[in-house]
Amino acid sequence: MSDWTYDLWCIPTADPGDVSGLRSRLAHVPEYEVLAIMGKTEGNGCVNDFSRTLAATAYGALFADTDKRPLLIMSGGTAGVLSPHVTAFVRRPRRSDDRPGPALACGAARTPDIPKAELGRMGQVEAVGRAVLDAMADAGIEQPRDVHFVQIKCPLLTDADVVAARQAGVALATDDTYLSMAYSRAASALGVAVALGEIDAAALTDDDICENWALSSSVASISSGAELLDCEILLMGVSTQVAGPLTVAHEVMENPIDAAAVVRMLESVGAGFPMTDTGRKRIRQIFAKADPAGTVRGRRTTMLNDSDIHSTRHARAAVGGVIAGITGEPMIYVSGGAEHQGPSGGGPIAVVAERSA
Amino acid sequence: MSDWTYDLWCIPTADPGDVSGLRSRLAHVPEYEVLAIMGKTEGNGCVNDFSRTLAATAYGALFADTDKRPLLIMSGGTAGVLSPHVTAFVRRPRRSDDRPGPALACGAARTPDIPKAELGRMGQVEAVGRAVLDAMADAGIEQPRDVHFVQIKCPLLTDADVVAARQAGVALATDDTYLSMAYSRAASALGVAVALGEIDAAALTDDDICENWALSSSVASISSGAELLDCEILLMGVSTQVAGPLTVAHEVMENPIDAAAVVRMLESVGAGFPMTDTGRKRIRQIFAKADPAGTVRGRRTTMLNDSDIHSTRHARAAVGGVIAGITGEPMIYVSGGAEHQGPSGGGPIAVVAERSA
Amino acid sequence: MSDWTYDLWCIPTADPGDVSGLRSRLAHVPEYEVLAIMGKTEGNGCVNDFSRTLAATAYGALFADTDKRPLLIMSGGTAGVLSPHVTAFVRRPRRSDDRPGPALACGAARTPDIPKAELGRMGQVEAVGRAVLDAMADAGIEQPRDVHFVQIKCPLLTDADVVAARQAGVALATDDTYLSMAYSRAASALGVAVALGEIDAAALTDDDICENWALSSSVASISSGAELLDCEILLMGVSTQVAGPLTVAHEVMENPIDAAAVVRMLESVGAGFPMTDTGRKRIRQIFAKADPAGTVRGRRTTMLNDSDIHSTRHARAAVGGVIAGITGEPMIYVSGGAEHQGPSGGGPIAVVAERSA
Amino acid sequence: MSDWTYDLWCIPTADPGDVSGLRSRLAHVPEYEVLAIMGKTEGNGCVNDFSRTLAATAYGALFADTDKRPLLIMSGGTAGVLSPHVTAFVRRPRRSDDRPGPALACGAARTPDIPKAELGRMGQVEAVGRAVLDAMADAGIEQPRDVHFVQIKCPLLTDADVVAARQAGVALATDDTYLSMAYSRAASALGVAVALGEIDAAALTDDDICENWALSSSVASISSGAELLDCEILLMGVSTQVAGPLTVAHEVMENPIDAAAVVRMLESVGAGFPMTDTGRKRIRQIFAKADPAGTVRGRRTTMLNDSDIHSTRHARAAVGGVIAGITGEPMIYVSGGAEHQGPSGGGPIAVVAERSA
């Protein structure tokens, strides 16, 4: 049996640097330990989004004196009705009156540093694959089918990396630093798919990465950043070894307006549409990937050729509207950049909710 | 009994100047006459959106040789999943086998030119109010409750108007030409509300316009433009005097994610959620106003303080996602600028659909 | 001796469809024939800029009844102080009192339709090269050194082209339609360079196009568009065979703030810095290409990683400021997309001015 | 005689939180004390620019352990060629071999907290006026004509302030928090003008603030922020009591492309146009305000009706191009929001340079 019981706290923020809500909550329940913080910050969610760094700086400072700093995943972009917030993944020692499992279990793991020549390639796929298995073990989850969301933060190539590789005569997956973010996300997503048996590792090659979009994971959610050299994995699933009040489920949205997938997911945790206030209160948080699409259910959209608004901002705004329309809650996690994370134009979606009676 | 039967054609466009779909349709059914064209064009939907003018130019040219040019209402802005298209409001002579009413009826009317000193003031409210009654009569609709959508195109103040007024010593509602668009929309919306008995005309004063947001019409949808001096009204409702296959219904979205209002509206014409393909095919078109909101169901949004994306683009993207998520159809009409058109942060929504059996 | 004398008219526009200024001018001097119109329209100058199409539609209609329609080159993007306008390239029959040459001469020519498999490749380079020589002959210019600006409009690959090529088993220069615009501009610019002896045609291969940035033309200014299948060339230079009041000169800006190049160019036509009102009146128009640059004179800029404003908008705003600062005139032609048109980060600049005494 | 000698260090930054350059410089010359830091950070320079906060956080942390924290003025927006950087205003004890004055002198002062009811009104004008005199005294400057740049950071009204005032029955200058930033900047600028005798304090009333644009200061540069309740003043001028290698001069740009003003200013410190490398090295930094203008030297611009790019971003890009074109240096301070700071459409500009021989 696991020694831990897990919870999720979804806390509104007044600005990217606002840590007051979480600080206040922690002061009231000191028995909780924060494993990870996933934030939606209010920048553009693209290259020059400094709201992410500001949030990471502020939350880093909040935990500066703790032994174990939580994993910080700041995702920019609150287009449309999306509301800035942080979700804290927390745990406390198990109590005798905790409801027996299967319940929500969270696990964490890290890969070794990814060699630059392996970034965006099979080496990264395999390293992530192994770390996903570690995170499953950490969470006390045995079956891949019990894994419902795998959030990964992965490194990228810098200008210095490109220069060094050139001098060393090493060919990288790409010499374009911005593109390296996509390659790193792609390899990480395929690593999840390999670890969970969603795709056949033996048939996979470097050429599939960022190319063969038929391959994807239904539970991977990846972001890349300049502040780390390894990959950090946060995994959610259900475990019979864990006691607690929460559960998690997931679905795959086939396109940005696949409300049916959202409803199926909600029904699988005992909620549905139209939602009642009781149903709403049971939901802790929803996590979704949004992917731009030039065509949605046969209709042309203008996301991909709007030179004023980045395509990912269009996609987040639309997907946020679809989900918030169903749940009545705009304070949800919707993130862009979905290479090999669900089908092209769609993406994985997960919900953490109170277990039904 | 009316001599006419009405229909709506929703036609995708490849670009703002693309008239090929409508031209081709008209060539096949020459008995139809086009009353109005409402388009969603793919510009930013704000001040410098030239896709509207381009579309109006192209559709104007298509009807250049006809006696009666249709009313052209081009609304810019296809953020998120919204798909560029035109909706043609058409009618043909009644046939003996047309299904007897009550059925969809459309009416048109115009005000006299609005004197500049009356623009955005009670004079415009009253002129629009009278013209709405004319449009009801034109449609063969007697009761205000049978009116479900009133689309109006209204004038604005130009720099030349402001200069002329100053020289004549006349005080205008505003000297800001951009703001005059809001005032003109506002006075037009209140004119609809007065005509349909939604608010008390006697208690209304100039000071309420763009100020007292408690006053609104639940069926008004207004856009302003530089190309006309009067107000043009297109009205939709149901009339017992009209035979035909279609009906129309409306609701009011209380906020940008008020999916319940959308579902109620769909249920009132015999569809609902989740929609079946059969239900989808019965819907001809949905029309909605989107209003930016700094707070949605108690959560902070960033629409109103995003200096990179105009608030109306956020609002259209979100509302488009909410509706398209429910109907599965992104080729819908969602327009911004909703002064006195539904509650602040929300807006009217209407559906034209095939009548249920 | 040439039968023609050339002039340039620079005319402000109130909006992209405003043809009133040119129409009025033509009515007063019916002896003039319009060879070409180069406009700066006020859209974003990127993919979804419909102000270009609107302007082309309006100016096309203005000349709908003429035998020979002028070449229409509409360039979007008036960032910063740049002022929307059109420049008409006109000619009239030579008069006995016209000042003898060398004077401004303009020539036009077209390539045959560019086969899709040759677009962005040596076939296009060579076709443009030949047409540039035709345009020189048309202008009565014999020496490459007397050519000072070559404006070209070239085709692109459409989705249909890509599909057709795939079915025919033909490999195109690129399957990305947006990228095909860059390839077509690049091949056209190199075609100019070949024709004028700026680079060695024999050493040039397909691999140099959009790759070897050391190769460039100092007088090419290229834009691509979907509305043509061949390349249209408008060439300006000085010819001893032409009489008239104007001349033309050019320079190459090495970077976006290379004011020294602008001053050298102005001095070569007898103006300089600081400019007097007399000097200003002698300038008919300035034409420049602007190229985004991540580093300007050793300093980091943020043009290339701003996800809210396209890099070409930053570049046009800055270059427009540099030039207008020197000349005091913001109604100039500054255009983006400068592959092989001057050095990377810089671009050609030309001035048409009244000849000095 | 003053005990201090002043210097300015202009240091490039790799990102908004990059303090490495200044930290390294301070480690080498520990005798210097930092009075103020003015930074250009790379956000949009508008409402949701978090690069300013990130920079202020990072520089605040750098000086967390010092007794006297420098004044931090972070201005967002590096459109066009503008290059992100910080300028540190530093001083060290006077040495016997310092070149005798008149030389650059810097002074600082603060007002008391501005009562909310006085913000944007005469109370703030007068408080700033008194503090400017204090800053002059601090700098050892006696004559207003020796003051060349007054940078002020001033407070704004928050939502809480508006609510509190409403409850207390107090009428504020404005209830719009965004507009309150303009009012606070305006009152501060007029405070400078009053202190330096540029306008007649006795004739000034609340109604002139943000209304009577004929009134302005030729040396004020103001920014407002949420992080303070008083006004902080940093003043630059020349003083006979101060020894040192630098001087300062200023001019007023009448419009965004008033290069003649820039050249006059440079000539007044012994540089000019075209600049030599020697002249360039003598310049420490240039400070300018940029003001959007719908018309520049009689030509229409599109700054004020571009709904995709904020007008201040257009203005900064253009003014940055004008200045950098003249000096060859894009790492300059150009800031927007210029109410009563120079004429409408123009603004003050100052240069700090090495004294000529």
Side-chain angles (χ1 to χ4, degrees), chain A residues 291-356:
Chain A
D291 204 25
T295 306
V296 172
R297 288 182 57 93
R299 302 303 188 192
R300 180 173 73 98
T301 76
T302 57
M303 294 185 209
L304 297 180
N305 52 8
D306 186 336
S307 303
D308 296 311
I309 301 186
H310 199 281
S311 59
T312 57
R313 305 192 76 177
H314 280 286
R316 279 188 293 259
V319 171
V322 170
I323 301 172
I326 292 171
T327 64
E329 172 62 80
M331 200 166 70
I332 52 181
Y333 183 92
V334 177
S335 153
E339 301 85 358
H340 301 299
Q341 299 150 61
S344 184
I349 181 169
V351 62
V352 171
E354 293 177 14
R355 294 162 65 187
S356 50

Side-chain angles (χ1 to χ4, degrees), chain C residues 1-6 92-95 98-106 133 135-143 146 237-246 355:
Chain C
M1 295 298 288
S2 167
D3 296 333
W4 300 101
T5 288
Y6 299 90
R92 59 157 173 72
R94 183 176 188 155
R95 292 192 299 242
D98 281 326
R99 182 174 169 187
L104 172 72
C106 300
L133 298 178
M136 284 175 67
D138 185 52
I141 298 175
E142 288 169 13
Q143 300 297 330
D146 289 331
V238 288
S239 169
T240 51
Q241 302 173 39
V242 172
L246 300 183
R355 295 163 63 186

Side-chain angles (χ1 to χ4, degrees), chain B residues 272-285:
Chain B
F273 186 83
M275 292 195 77
T276 59
D277 280 347
T278 312
R280 251 179 220 119
K281 280 178 194 153
R282 287 187 40 221
I283 296 177
R284 276 294 200 285
Q285 184 53 297

Side-chain angles (χ1 to χ4, degrees), chain C residues 13-14 42 78 80 83-84 259 263 273 280 296-297 299-300 302-303 306 309 313-314 317 321-322 325 328-331, chain D residues 13-14 42 78 80 83-84 259 263 273 280 296-297 299-303 306 309 313-314 317 321-322 325 328-331:
Chain C
T13 51
E42 58 202 276
T78 53
S83 181
V263 172
F273 186 83
R280 252 179 219 119
V296 172
R297 287 182 58 93
R299 302 303 187 193
R300 179 173 74 98
T302 58
M303 294 185 209
D306 186 335
I309 300 186
R313 304 192 75 178
H314 280 286
V322 170
E329 172 60 82
M331 201 166 70
Chain D
T13 50
E42 58 201 279
T78 53
S83 181
V263 172
F273 185 83
R280 250 177 221 121
V296 171
R297 286 181 59 92
R299 302 302 187 193
R300 178 173 73 99
T301 76
T302 57
M303 294 185 209
D306 186 335
I309 300 186
R313 305 193 74 177
H314 281 285
V322 170
E329 172 61 81
M331 200 165 70

Side-chain angles (χ1 to χ4, degrees), chain A residues 170-254:
Chain A
V170 174
L172 299 174
T174 174
D175 282 1
D176 180 326
T177 57
Y178 183 57
L179 207 54
S180 78
M181 300 175 75
Y183 271 90
S184 186
R185 286 193 298 261
S188 298
L190 293 174
V192 175
V194 163
L196 301 182
E198 299 181 282
I199 61 174
D200 179 9
L204 197 66
T205 73
D206 284 349
D207 291 344
D208 292 312
I209 300 170
C210 274
E211 188 69 40
N212 183 353
W213 300 117
L215 304 177
S216 71
S217 167
S218 63
V219 294
S221 169
I222 322 286
S223 67
S224 57
E227 71 276 30
L228 76 179
L229 299 172
D230 57 351
C231 297
E232 297 185 328
I233 285 103
L234 173 71
L235 179 148
M236 283 191 280
V238 288
S239 169
T240 51
Q241 302 173 39
V242 172
L246 300 183
T247 189
V248 59
H250 83 278
E251 271 289 339
V252 173
M253 293 176 74
E254 293 297 321

Side-chain angles (χ1 to χ4, degrees), chain A:
Chain A
M1 296 295 287
S2 169
D3 296 333
W4 301 101
T5 287
Y6 298 90
D7 204 348
L8 259 66
W9 301 340
C10 186
I11 301 170
T13 51
D15 62 68
D18 176 20
V19 301
S20 60
L22 180 56
R23 182 198 283 134
S24 161
R25 181 80 74 103
L26 286 170
H28 283 82
V29 284
E31 67 272 27
Y32 279 93
E33 173 192 0
V34 181
L35 300 174
I37 296 169
M38 283 177 69
K40 280 307 299 178
T41 64
E42 58 202 278
N44 60 25
C46 302
V47 179
N48 61 327
D49 180 348
F50 301 105
S51 68
R52 292 179 300 221
T53 324
L54 181 57
T57 302
Y59 281 88
L62 184 63
F63 292 96
D65 299 329
T66 55
D67 289 344
K68 207 176 157 187
R69 289 177 62 159
L71 177 57
L72 298 179
I73 297 158
M74 298 301 170
S75 165
T78 53
V81 291
L82 293 172
S83 182
H85 70 277
V86 290
T87 302
F89 293 76
V90 298
R91 68 178 186 184
R92 59 156 174 74
R94 183 176 188 155
R95 291 192 299 242
S96 56
D97 62 343
D98 281 328
R99 182 174 169 187
L104 172 72
C106 299
R110 311 180 75 132
T111 65
D113 287 359
I114 305 293
K116 301 308 175 189
E118 290 301 339
L119 191 141
R121 289 186 171 143
M122 286 304 298
Q124 184 176 1
V125 172
E126 289 156 10
V128 168
R130 284 187 295 269
V132 168
L133 298 179
D134 292 346
M136 284 177 65
D138 185 51
I141 297 174
E142 289 169 11
Q143 299 297 329
R145 68 164 182 265
D146 289 331
V147 175
H148 291 284
F149 205 68
V150 184
Q151 178 70 38
I152 296 182
K153 197 167 179 187
C154 58
L156 47 76
L157 296 175
T158 64
D159 287 326
D161 295 332
V162 173
V163 170
R166 206 169 287 162
Q167 287 171 343
V170 174
L172 299 174
T174 174
D175 282 1
D176 180 326
T177 57
Y178 183 57
L179 207 54
S180 78
M181 300 175 75
Y183 271 90
S184 186
R185 286 193 298 261
S188 298
L190 293 174
V192 175
V194 163
L196 301 182
E198 299 181 282
I199 61 174
D200 179 9
L204 197 66
T205 73
D206 284 349
D207 291 344
D208 292 312
I209 300 170
C210 274
E211 188 69 40
N212 183 353
W213 300 117
L215 304 177
S216 71
S217 167
S218 63
V219 294
S221 169
I222 322 286
S223 67
S224 57
E227 71 276 30
L228 76 179
L229 299 172
D230 57 351
C231 297
E232 297 185 328
I233 285 103
L234 173 71
L235 179 148
M236 283 191 280
V238 288
S239 169
T240 51
Q241 302 173 39
V242 172
L246 300 183
T247 189
V248 59
H250 83 278
E251 271 289 339
V252 173
M253 293 176 74
E254 293 297 321
N255 59 59
I257 59 171
D258 187 2
V262 183
V263 172
R264 280 198 310 274
M265 177 189 75
L266 292 173
E267 285 173 344
S268 76
V269 296
F273 186 81
M275 291 194 77
T276 59
D277 280 347
T278 312
R280 254 180 217 118
K281 280 179 194 154
R282 287 188 40 221
I283 295 178
R284 277 294 200 284
Q285 185 53 299
I286 288 177
F287 305 89
K289 291 299 282 191
D291 204 25
T295 306
V296 172
R297 288 182 57 93
R299 302 303 188 192
R300 180 173 73 98
T301 76
T302 57
M303 294 185 209
L304 297 180
N305 52 8
D306 186 336
S307 303
D308 296 311
I309 301 186
H310 199 281
S311 59
T312 57
R313 305 192 76 177
H314 280 286
R316 279 188 293 259
V319 171
V322 170
I323 301 172
I326 292 171
T327 64
E329 172 62 80
M331 200 166 70
I332 52 181
Y333 183 92
V334 177
S335 153
E339 301 85 358
H340 301 299
Q341 299 150 61
S344 184
I349 181 169
V351 62
V352 171
E354 293 177 14
R355 294 162 65 187
S356 50

